[in-house]
Structure formats: C-alpha cells, structure tokens
Amino acid sequence: MSHSEISRHQFPDNFTWGVATSSFQIEGAHDSDGKGPSIWDNFCDIEGKIADSSNGHKACEHYLRWQEDVDLICHLGVNAYRFSISWPRVQPDGQGAWNEAGFAFYDKLINALAERGIALHLTLNHWDLPQALQDHGGWANRDLCGHFTRYATEVARRFGSRLASICTHNEPWVIAILGYEQGIFAPGIQSRSQAFQAVHHLLLSHGMALQAMRGLGLTTPMGIVLNLSPIYPASDDPKDVAKAWLDDGLILRWYMDALFHGTYPQDVTAHLGQDVPVVLPDDLVTIAQHNDFLGVNYYTRNFSSSGNPWDVASTGNQVTDMGWEVYPQGLTELLCRLHADYQPKLLWVTENGAAFKDELVGGVVNDELRLAYIRDHIAATQDAMAQGVPVGAYFAWSLMDNFEWASGYAKRFGLVHVDFDTQKRTLKNSALWYQNFLSEK
Ligand code: IFM
C-alpha cells in the first residue's frame, strides 16, 4: 500500500485517535496555587543543562489557557487526549497533604473534555517528580514505591471512573538512564548503579500501583508506556552484532521481560556486574501484573556500534531536527516483535511525532515533513495491524509545541504552532491533515 493512500477506514471504528502532552511541558504556572517544585524546576535552574537556558515557568500557559486548548483538541476531531498530572501540583511534597487547588485544575479539565466526548488517558508520572522526594534520593530510594502508590491511588479514587485509561510511568528508561546514569535530564545524577536501582523501583512501583488502584474496584484500563525501538548493528562485524543485542537488552528486554515474563534478562544482569539492582523476593512477581495495555512511544530506530564509525546520514533517510532518522517501517517491525515475543493484550502507539524547523508565514506553517512523518507512521501502524497485531490507539506527539526538556523550546514537535511570546496557537498543515484524515466520510 502506498502510504499516501492511508485512510481512516482501514482502521476499526472504535480505534482511538489522539494527541498527547505532558504536564511540565505545557502547563507553566510552576508555583501557582500551592504547587511544589518538581525536579525539572530545579534542574532548569542549573546553568548549562537546558540548551536555551529556558524553564517551565510559563511553557504553553496551559494552566491558564486550558479552555482554549480544550477547544483546540476538539477542533482537531480526535476522540482521545493523553495528558499527565503534575504530582507536585497535587501533592507538593510527594507525601502528606494533598493540594486541593491542584486537583481542582485537573477536575475541571477532565470534565470539560469528557463533556465533549473526548476519552481521557491519564499518565501519573511523566517525569516531574516532587523535588522533596528527590531530596530523599528520588527513584533510587525504595520508599518512593510506597509514596507513588499512595499518589496513584488518590488520583484513581478521584478521577478513575472518568478516565479511559491510567498509565503509571512514561518512559522509565528515560527517567532512569538519562536522569540517573547520563545526568543529561533531571535529576542530573551520573551513577549506573543508582540508575538501575531507579529502574527497578519504577517498575516495582508500577506493579504496586496497579494492585492498589485495582483494589479500589476500578475497571479503568491500566498499563505503562515505554520508549522502544528496533536496534540494528551498525555493521556485520560480530562485535557490532553483539553490541546491538546487548543494547536491545538494556533498552527493551530489561523492561519487557520484567513486565511480561517476571524476569530480568540474564545477559544484561551479567553485563551490569556490581551495578545490578537490589531485587527483593517477590519484586518481580509484583512487577509482572497484568497490563490492560502497553503504550509504545516510537520515534526512530537505533543503531549500535562497538566502536566502528556510524553516521545517521548513511541511512539515506530524512533526519528530523532532533537528528533522528525517519524510519516508519521500524514501528511496524517493533509492534510485530512485541506481539510475537510478549503478547501484550493490547498495544497503543502512545507517542509518535517529529521535530522540524517550522516557519510561520502569513498564518500558515507548511510543515510537509511532519505531515508525511505522521501519515507514514499511521500507515506503518496499519501495516502491523494487517499482520495481526492488536493495536488500538495512535496518539500524535504533540498537540502543540512545548518545552522539549534539555532542548528547551527550540525543538518543535507540535501539530499546533505556539508563539511563545504571545501564546498564540496556529494549526500547522500537519494538524489540518490529521483533522481531514479523521473526518473522512
Ligand atoms: O517530548 C518528549 C516526551 O516528553 C516523551 N517522549 C519523547 C518526546 C520527544 O522527545
């Protein structure tokens, strides 16, 4: 099938079509109405950590402009919205008192979207951990599992029956590896042992939270979202082939084996040596709870090299403003592999999109590269479904340009352009294409 011929009618009528955002990236209002600081508020204050020295103080001012953004979401014609709760907005210290003003914000947002028929997919942890918990060691401290479970249960108790799904963590690999091993994301630690302890606690808290939330009697679908991609060796050199398999273990099998098979992969455990995390008896049983869905965030494929030089330009494919190769086939391949190796009950593409340099000219952003990216990845999703993979959702990342973490505001992933001086929102051509695709009769 030519990707330019993709039609909504090739998907089931009950397919979920959405756009996604996260709290820190869009909300702003970093200290309003009793919100506590998150690790990203503090990280942005460290010189040299954010490319444009920006922060999330204002972001897209979604906390103030949420009604306009609800209109925008509805205008696109999607039937679902994926968003996250800022934990320090609803519990400033990450334990103890709840902040009712914070909960009130999400309450009105959820009601406004639900009234207009938009299914709400809530993420509990899209990285903005309360700084007060980081002061006690963050995710490297096992106590976080209990704090997270109590937070998850309170959110589920208040909102669960109005939600289409609850996701515990978004991209635990990024939280732990970029945040605790490489130190390029908050909290900026550089320790492999802390990183793998953090990974283990993220996965354990996922299992504990699922048990506790289900204990409320909720039937809301619950799961987790991972950033995954196929990994290719940079050459036929057996050393590159071995490196690619190890990297697959570090990025994919460590998470998938634990969540779906209740084990950590032996080769990765051996590789970690003394940095292997402390795992108590029954932890892996707790981690391997039934997931109603597995969310997959896919942007590109990866190449692994044991030292042989490799350059993304050698693929001959389009590269995004993040330097990521555009490779839609990788999404098909990934979804098929996850289905074959792990059989999740349901797979959702919970993030997919691209940063490109946009130009707003006369009220128009002609972002044809992003449009093609979204279109071709929707087609790649369909290709996986045609091969029998149970995919139920596609969420474009992102609803609008926002704070792209260590890259600041320079990298634009939005379907909607945001002028960060005036906060004016303008639908890019990719948004108009998506709207048109979704409205096909
Ligand atoms: O912006 C991020 C998002 O927060 C998590 N997934 C990847 C996106 C693009 O980098």
Side-chain angles (χ1 to χ4, degrees), residues 87 143 225:
W87 185 353
D143 290 348
V225 168

Side-chain angles (χ1 to χ4, degrees), residues 6 44 54 96 113 131 184-185 198-199 205 239-240 254 292 316 332 337 343 347-348 357 377-378 414 428 431-432:
I6 187 75
C44 290
S54 61
L113 284 157
Q131 177 62 38
I184 55 173
F185 275 18
V199 170
S205 64
K239 286 201 214 112
D240 285 354
W254 186 268
D292 298 306
T332 313
R337 188 251 178 123
Q343 294 90 43
L347 284 148
W348 292 344
K357 292 210 185 312
H377 284 78
I378 288 176
K428 301 179 191 175
L432 298 172

Side-chain angles (χ1 to χ4, degrees), residues 2-52:
S2 153
H3 286 178
S4 55
E5 287 166 14
I6 187 75
S7 151
R8 194 178 69 90
H9 298 297
Q10 291 164 289
F11 293 81
D13 287 344
N14 64 356
F15 195 83
T16 295
W17 294 104
V19 283
T21 63
S22 87
S23 47
F24 191 83
Q25 292 178 274
I26 66 166
E27 284 179 3
H30 72 295
D31 60 358
S32 300
D33 300 335
K35 177 183 170 293
S38 80
I39 55 172
W40 272 92
D41 288 306
N42 280 31
F43 191 68
C44 290
D45 287 344
I46 305 171
E47 210 182 311
K49 293 293 185 188
I50 310 298
D52 58 4

